[in-house]
Amino acid sequence: IALARALAVGPRILLLDEPFGALDKSLRLDMQIEVKRLQRLAGITCIMVTHDQEEALSMADRVAVINKGRLEQFAPPNDIYDLPQTLFVNQFVGTANQLTARLLATGADCRVALAGGPAWPVRAIAAPGALNTGDSVTVCVRPEHLRLVDRSTTTEGLPGTIELSLPLGPQIVHEVRLTDGSGLKVFESRSHGAGLHAPGHEVFLQLAEGAALNAYPSPQPEPSP
């Protein structure tokens, strides 16, 4: 009713503040589709505030990510998710595993060496002029860009041990502990035959075909007061 009242006066801009926050998941999806359809039919600009990242990425033509009052990135949803310009955007939007690595090469064949693991390709480097070969970098990889491979079938990859496998609708979410004690999340699709693994199962982590990392200058420690 509130939406109908707002549209009845023919506004040029429609402001939406957490419009779907109180709805159940299935109803929320139906309303997102309906509002998107109405917005296209009416041909008006909508500005929507939301803390639901999936909602922002699905509803918007452009997304603004703000951190402590500072605009970190303003871009189409695919760029926000796949090509985040800052480490904050990469960590804040969606789920991202964070690793420390050493930059092996820049340019078209940009690669990094992971501690205790393989050399993996890098898709994009933030602030490329600030980094040189050999520098320490922070790399982020999405959980869906990783694959689990049994150690009995290969010797290549980043070694880890399964701590937990959690069924989550169409996906299996794995928590994998690396040899240095850090943890990574891996998303696998049930439609591709993914299954649960017992805790303690030893695996290698490999990049999915076509996947790559995003790299950023390693954060500097905060100065002592």
Side-chain angles (χ1 to χ4, degrees):
I1 292 174
L3 185 59
R5 286 173 174 168
L7 291 173
V9 297
R12 289 186 300 170
I13 298 177
L14 184 64
L15 304 179
L16 302 172
D17 186 7
E18 302 278 2
F20 313 117
L23 302 180
D24 294 334
K25 186 176 180 62
S26 59
L27 181 57
R28 183 184 303 125
L29 178 59
D30 290 340
M31 286 304 300
Q32 288 171 359
I33 295 172
E34 181 66 11
V35 169
K36 187 79 170 182
R37 185 183 68 84
L38 290 173
Q39 184 261 336
R40 294 293 170 87
L41 286 175
I44 62 174
T45 298
C46 289
I47 299 176
M48 185 177 74
V49 177
T50 178
H51 289 86
D52 187 324
Q53 297 173 6
E54 292 184 0
E55 185 174 276
L57 295 175
S58 64
M59 293 287 293
D61 296 306
R62 294 179 71 82
V63 176
V65 181
I66 299 172
N67 176 29
K68 297 180 180 178
R70 178 178 180 271
L71 182 64
E72 295 270 343
Q73 189 170 354
F74 183 51
N78 285 345
D79 288 353
I80 293 288
Y81 190 81
D82 294 327
L83 297 170
Q85 293 179 352
T86 68
L87 181 59
F88 174 82
V89 175
N90 205 146
Q91 292 178 310
F92 182 74
V93 178
T95 302
N97 296 303
Q98 181 176 313
L99 296 163
T100 300
R102 182 170 53 84
L103 192 60
L104 293 179
T106 58
D109 189 31
C110 186
R111 302 176 71 83
V112 294
L114 303 175
W120 280 351
V122 173
R123 174 172 45 205
I125 301 180
L131 293 172
N132 298 299
T133 301
D135 285 352
S136 175
V137 293
T138 297
V139 295
C140 294
V141 56
R142 301 291 186 188
E144 65 270 22
H145 291 164
L146 293 170
R147 295 290 178 265
L148 298 180
V149 182
D150 194 279
R151 287 201 198 179
S152 63
T153 63
T154 184
T155 59
E156 297 182 356
L158 189 62
T161 304
I162 298 290
E163 286 211 335
L164 181 69
S165 289
L166 180 68
L168 192 63
Q171 290 183 324
I172 302 291
V173 178
H174 306 284
E175 177 76 9
V176 181
R177 188 65 56 188
L178 303 183
T179 54
D180 64 1
S182 60
L184 295 185
K185 293 181 176 61
V186 180
F187 295 169
E188 290 192 308
S189 173
R190 287 176 178 266
S191 63
H192 294 161
L196 301 176
H197 291 281
H201 185 68
E202 295 185 339
V203 296
F204 279 114
L205 296 175
Q206 297 180 352
L207 279 181
E209 185 177 355
L213 313 176
N214 292 314
Y216 306 90
S218 293
Q220 298 299 314
E222 293 289 339
S224 303

PDB file of all heavy atoms in Angstrom, residues 10 28 31 38-39 58 72 78 83 88 106 108 111 123 127-128 155 190 210 214:
ATOM      1  N   GLY A  10       3.267  10.010  -9.184  1.00  0.00           N
ATOM      2  CA  GLY A  10       4.212  10.121 -10.289  1.00  0.00           C
ATOM      3  C   GLY A  10       5.546  10.718  -9.914  1.00  0.00           C
ATOM      4  O   GLY A  10       5.999  11.683 -10.549  1.00  0.00           O
ATOM      5  N   ARG A  28      10.018 -12.282   0.364  1.00  0.00           N
ATOM      6  CA  ARG A  28      10.974 -11.214   0.060  1.00  0.00           C
ATOM      7  C   ARG A  28      11.427 -11.303  -1.393  1.00  0.00           C
ATOM      8  O   ARG A  28      11.505 -10.290  -2.100  1.00  0.00           O
ATOM      9  CB  ARG A  28      12.177 -11.301   0.998  1.00  0.00           C
ATOM     10  CG  ARG A  28      13.183 -10.173   0.803  1.00  0.00           C
ATOM     11  CD  ARG A  28      14.402 -10.346   1.682  1.00  0.00           C
ATOM     12  NE  ARG A  28      14.040 -10.425   3.081  1.00  0.00           N
ATOM     13  CZ  ARG A  28      14.386 -11.420   3.888  1.00  0.00           C
ATOM     14  NH1 ARG A  28      15.103 -12.438   3.413  1.00  0.00           N
ATOM     15  NH2 ARG A  28      14.033 -11.421   5.149  1.00  0.00           N
ATOM     16  N   MET A  31       8.662 -10.128  -3.711  1.00  0.00           N
ATOM     17  CA  MET A  31       8.500  -8.671  -3.683  1.00  0.00           C
ATOM     18  C   MET A  31       9.667  -7.958  -4.370  1.00  0.00           C
ATOM     19  O   MET A  31       9.490  -6.906  -4.989  1.00  0.00           O
ATOM     20  CB  MET A  31       8.358  -8.182  -2.244  1.00  0.00           C
ATOM     21  CG  MET A  31       7.000  -8.504  -1.616  1.00  0.00           C
ATOM     22  SD  MET A  31       5.628  -7.841  -2.589  1.00  0.00           S
ATOM     23  CE  MET A  31       5.998  -6.089  -2.575  1.00  0.00           C
ATOM     24  N   LEU A  38       8.028  -3.132 -11.357  1.00  0.00           N
ATOM     25  CA  LEU A  38       7.325  -1.844 -11.305  1.00  0.00           C
ATOM     26  C   LEU A  38       8.255  -0.674 -11.593  1.00  0.00           C
ATOM     27  O   LEU A  38       7.878   0.295 -12.261  1.00  0.00           O
ATOM     28  CB  LEU A  38       6.670  -1.672  -9.925  1.00  0.00           C
ATOM     29  CG  LEU A  38       5.480  -2.582  -9.610  1.00  0.00           C
ATOM     30  CD1 LEU A  38       5.054  -2.407  -8.161  1.00  0.00           C
ATOM     31  CD2 LEU A  38       4.314  -2.288 -10.539  1.00  0.00           C
ATOM     32  N   GLN A  39       9.465  -0.764 -11.083  1.00  0.00           N
ATOM     33  CA  GLN A  39      10.429   0.313 -11.317  1.00  0.00           C
ATOM     34  C   GLN A  39      10.750   0.438 -12.802  1.00  0.00           C
ATOM     35  O   GLN A  39      10.829   1.550 -13.345  1.00  0.00           O
ATOM     36  CB  GLN A  39      11.702   0.038 -10.508  1.00  0.00           C
ATOM     37  CG  GLN A  39      12.749   1.133 -10.596  1.00  0.00           C
ATOM     38  CD  GLN A  39      13.850   0.822 -11.595  1.00  0.00           C
ATOM     39  OE1 GLN A  39      14.101  -0.345 -11.901  1.00  0.00           O
ATOM     40  NE2 GLN A  39      14.490   1.845 -12.118  1.00  0.00           N
ATOM     41  N   SER A  58      21.163  -7.878  -6.359  1.00  0.00           N
ATOM     42  CA  SER A  58      20.112  -8.339  -7.266  1.00  0.00           C
ATOM     43  C   SER A  58      19.198  -7.212  -7.724  1.00  0.00           C
ATOM     44  O   SER A  58      18.684  -7.231  -8.844  1.00  0.00           O
ATOM     45  CB  SER A  58      19.276  -9.436  -6.593  1.00  0.00           C
ATOM     46  OG  SER A  58      18.585  -8.917  -5.459  1.00  0.00           O
ATOM     47  N   GLU A  72      33.689   3.859  -0.847  1.00  0.00           N
ATOM     48  CA  GLU A  72      34.760   2.955  -1.251  1.00  0.00           C
ATOM     49  C   GLU A  72      34.667   2.588  -2.735  1.00  0.00           C
ATOM     50  O   GLU A  72      35.683   2.478  -3.419  1.00  0.00           O
ATOM     51  CB  GLU A  72      34.712   1.670  -0.403  1.00  0.00           C
ATOM     52  CG  GLU A  72      34.995   1.875   1.074  1.00  0.00           C
ATOM     53  CD  GLU A  72      36.465   1.750   1.408  1.00  0.00           C
ATOM     54  OE1 GLU A  72      37.224   1.209   0.587  1.00  0.00           O
ATOM     55  OE2 GLU A  72      36.854   2.190   2.503  1.00  0.00           O
ATOM     56  N   ASN A  78      28.071  -6.481 -10.740  1.00  0.00           N
ATOM     57  CA  ASN A  78      29.079  -7.460 -11.127  1.00  0.00           C
ATOM     58  C   ASN A  78      30.492  -6.949 -10.836  1.00  0.00           C
ATOM     59  O   ASN A  78      31.367  -7.727 -10.425  1.00  0.00           O
ATOM     60  CB  ASN A  78      28.957  -7.805 -12.610  1.00  0.00           C
ATOM     61  CG  ASN A  78      27.777  -8.705 -12.907  1.00  0.00           C
ATOM     62  OD1 ASN A  78      27.196  -9.304 -11.991  1.00  0.00           O
ATOM     63  ND2 ASN A  78      27.395  -8.804 -14.169  1.00  0.00           N
ATOM     64  N   LEU A  83      35.217  -7.385  -9.182  1.00  0.00           N
ATOM     65  CA  LEU A  83      36.377  -6.503  -9.278  1.00  0.00           C
ATOM     66  C   LEU A  83      36.331  -5.428  -8.192  1.00  0.00           C
ATOM     67  O   LEU A  83      36.323  -4.220  -8.492  1.00  0.00           O
ATOM     68  CB  LEU A  83      36.433  -5.854 -10.663  1.00  0.00           C
ATOM     69  CG  LEU A  83      36.606  -6.806 -11.848  1.00  0.00           C
ATOM     70  CD1 LEU A  83      36.407  -6.068 -13.158  1.00  0.00           C
ATOM     71  CD2 LEU A  83      37.966  -7.478 -11.810  1.00  0.00           C
ATOM     72  N   PHE A  88      38.440  -3.596   1.678  1.00  0.00           N
ATOM     73  CA  PHE A  88      37.204  -3.522   2.446  1.00  0.00           C
ATOM     74  C   PHE A  88      36.019  -4.001   1.619  1.00  0.00           C
ATOM     75  O   PHE A  88      35.195  -4.796   2.094  1.00  0.00           O
ATOM     76  CB  PHE A  88      36.949  -2.094   2.920  1.00  0.00           C
ATOM     77  CG  PHE A  88      35.608  -1.923   3.589  1.00  0.00           C
ATOM     78  CD1 PHE A  88      35.426  -2.265   4.924  1.00  0.00           C
ATOM     79  CD2 PHE A  88      34.517  -1.444   2.879  1.00  0.00           C
ATOM     80  CE1 PHE A  88      34.182  -2.136   5.537  1.00  0.00           C
ATOM     81  CE2 PHE A  88      33.273  -1.305   3.475  1.00  0.00           C
ATOM     82  CZ  PHE A  88      33.109  -1.658   4.806  1.00  0.00           C
ATOM     83  N   THR A 106      53.883  -9.064 -12.219  1.00  0.00           N
ATOM     84  CA  THR A 106      52.804  -8.118 -12.484  1.00  0.00           C
ATOM     85  C   THR A 106      52.472  -8.159 -13.976  1.00  0.00           C
ATOM     86  O   THR A 106      53.056  -8.921 -14.743  1.00  0.00           O
ATOM     87  CB  THR A 106      53.211  -6.697 -12.071  1.00  0.00           C
ATOM     88  OG1 THR A 106      54.392  -6.321 -12.793  1.00  0.00           O
ATOM     89  CG2 THR A 106      53.484  -6.629 -10.584  1.00  0.00           C
ATOM     90  N   ALA A 108      50.210  -8.783 -17.449  1.00  0.00           N
ATOM     91  CA  ALA A 108      49.216  -9.721 -17.964  1.00  0.00           C
ATOM     92  C   ALA A 108      49.317 -11.086 -17.300  1.00  0.00           C
ATOM     93  O   ALA A 108      48.314 -11.789 -17.159  1.00  0.00           O
ATOM     94  CB  ALA A 108      49.385  -9.861 -19.473  1.00  0.00           C
ATOM     95  N   ARG A 111      50.873 -13.168 -10.998  1.00  0.00           N
ATOM     96  CA  ARG A 111      50.701 -14.360 -10.165  1.00  0.00           C
ATOM     97  C   ARG A 111      51.240 -14.072  -8.762  1.00  0.00           C
ATOM     98  O   ARG A 111      52.084 -13.193  -8.575  1.00  0.00           O
ATOM     99  CB  ARG A 111      51.443 -15.567 -10.759  1.00  0.00           C
ATOM    100  CG  ARG A 111      51.007 -15.923 -12.166  1.00  0.00           C
ATOM    101  CD  ARG A 111      51.836 -17.053 -12.751  1.00  0.00           C
ATOM    102  NE  ARG A 111      51.548 -18.328 -12.111  1.00  0.00           N
ATOM    103  CZ  ARG A 111      50.522 -19.107 -12.437  1.00  0.00           C
ATOM    104  NH1 ARG A 111      49.699 -18.734 -13.405  1.00  0.00           N
ATOM    105  NH2 ARG A 111      50.311 -20.251 -11.844  1.00  0.00           N
ATOM    106  N   ARG A 123      43.596 -11.847 -10.802  1.00  0.00           N
ATOM    107  CA  ARG A 123      42.723 -11.200 -11.778  1.00  0.00           C
ATOM    108  C   ARG A 123      42.944  -9.694 -11.811  1.00  0.00           C
ATOM    109  O   ARG A 123      42.976  -9.088 -12.885  1.00  0.00           O
ATOM    110  CB  ARG A 123      41.266 -11.520 -11.438  1.00  0.00           C
ATOM    111  CG  ARG A 123      40.241 -10.805 -12.285  1.00  0.00           C
ATOM    112  CD  ARG A 123      38.847 -11.337 -11.998  1.00  0.00           C
ATOM    113  NE  ARG A 123      38.628 -11.482 -10.561  1.00  0.00           N
ATOM    114  CZ  ARG A 123      37.745 -12.333 -10.043  1.00  0.00           C
ATOM    115  NH1 ARG A 123      37.035 -13.104 -10.819  1.00  0.00           N
ATOM    116  NH2 ARG A 123      37.581 -12.409  -8.736  1.00  0.00           N
ATOM    117  N   ALA A 127      45.561  -0.584  -6.799  1.00  0.00           N
ATOM    118  CA  ALA A 127      46.701   0.339  -6.725  1.00  0.00           C
ATOM    119  C   ALA A 127      47.970  -0.319  -7.264  1.00  0.00           C
ATOM    120  O   ALA A 127      48.956  -0.488  -6.553  1.00  0.00           O
ATOM    121  CB  ALA A 127      46.919   0.796  -5.285  1.00  0.00           C
ATOM    122  N   PRO A 128      47.966  -0.736  -8.558  1.00  0.00           N
ATOM    123  CA  PRO A 128      49.109  -1.482  -9.101  1.00  0.00           C
ATOM    124  C   PRO A 128      50.428  -0.734  -9.016  1.00  0.00           C
ATOM    125  O   PRO A 128      51.478  -1.342  -8.889  1.00  0.00           O
ATOM    126  CB  PRO A 128      48.697  -1.735 -10.567  1.00  0.00           C
ATOM    127  CG  PRO A 128      47.665  -0.696 -10.863  1.00  0.00           C
ATOM    128  CD  PRO A 128      46.932  -0.472  -9.569  1.00  0.00           C
ATOM    129  N   THR A 155      48.951 -34.285  -6.027  1.00  0.00           N
ATOM    130  CA  THR A 155      49.930 -33.690  -5.109  1.00  0.00           C
ATOM    131  C   THR A 155      49.963 -32.176  -5.274  1.00  0.00           C
ATOM    132  O   THR A 155      50.840 -31.521  -4.713  1.00  0.00           O
ATOM    133  CB  THR A 155      51.331 -34.258  -5.371  1.00  0.00           C
ATOM    134  OG1 THR A 155      51.697 -33.983  -6.731  1.00  0.00           O
ATOM    135  CG2 THR A 155      51.364 -35.758  -5.124  1.00  0.00           C
ATOM    136  N   ARG A 190      25.619 -28.862  -5.022  1.00  0.00           N
ATOM    137  CA  ARG A 190      25.099 -30.231  -5.006  1.00  0.00           C
ATOM    138  C   ARG A 190      24.858 -30.745  -6.429  1.00  0.00           C
ATOM    139  O   ARG A 190      24.977 -31.947  -6.691  1.00  0.00           O
ATOM    140  CB  ARG A 190      23.788 -30.283  -4.226  1.00  0.00           C
ATOM    141  CG  ARG A 190      23.934 -30.145  -2.719  1.00  0.00           C
ATOM    142  CD  ARG A 190      22.556 -30.115  -2.067  1.00  0.00           C
ATOM    143  NE  ARG A 190      22.623 -30.027  -0.625  1.00  0.00           N
ATOM    144  CZ  ARG A 190      22.584 -31.079   0.183  1.00  0.00           C
ATOM    145  NH1 ARG A 190      22.504 -32.292  -0.321  1.00  0.00           N
ATOM    146  NH2 ARG A 190      22.630 -30.922   1.498  1.00  0.00           N
ATOM    147  N   GLY A 210      39.041 -21.041 -14.591  1.00  0.00           N
ATOM    148  CA  GLY A 210      38.702 -19.662 -14.925  1.00  0.00           C
ATOM    149  C   GLY A 210      38.702 -18.709 -13.749  1.00  0.00           C
ATOM    150  O   GLY A 210      38.524 -17.503 -13.930  1.00  0.00           O
ATOM    151  N   ASN A 214      41.923 -11.681  -6.280  1.00  0.00           N
ATOM    152  CA  ASN A 214      42.115 -10.237  -6.253  1.00  0.00           C
ATOM    153  C   ASN A 214      43.199  -9.942  -5.224  1.00  0.00           C
ATOM    154  O   ASN A 214      43.197 -10.522  -4.132  1.00  0.00           O
ATOM    155  CB  ASN A 214      40.824  -9.524  -5.882  1.00  0.00           C
ATOM    156  CG  ASN A 214      39.768  -9.652  -6.953  1.00  0.00           C
ATOM    157  OD1 ASN A 214      40.042  -9.469  -8.131  1.00  0.00           O
ATOM    158  ND2 ASN A 214      38.557  -9.984  -6.562  1.00  0.00           N
TER     159      ASN A 214
END
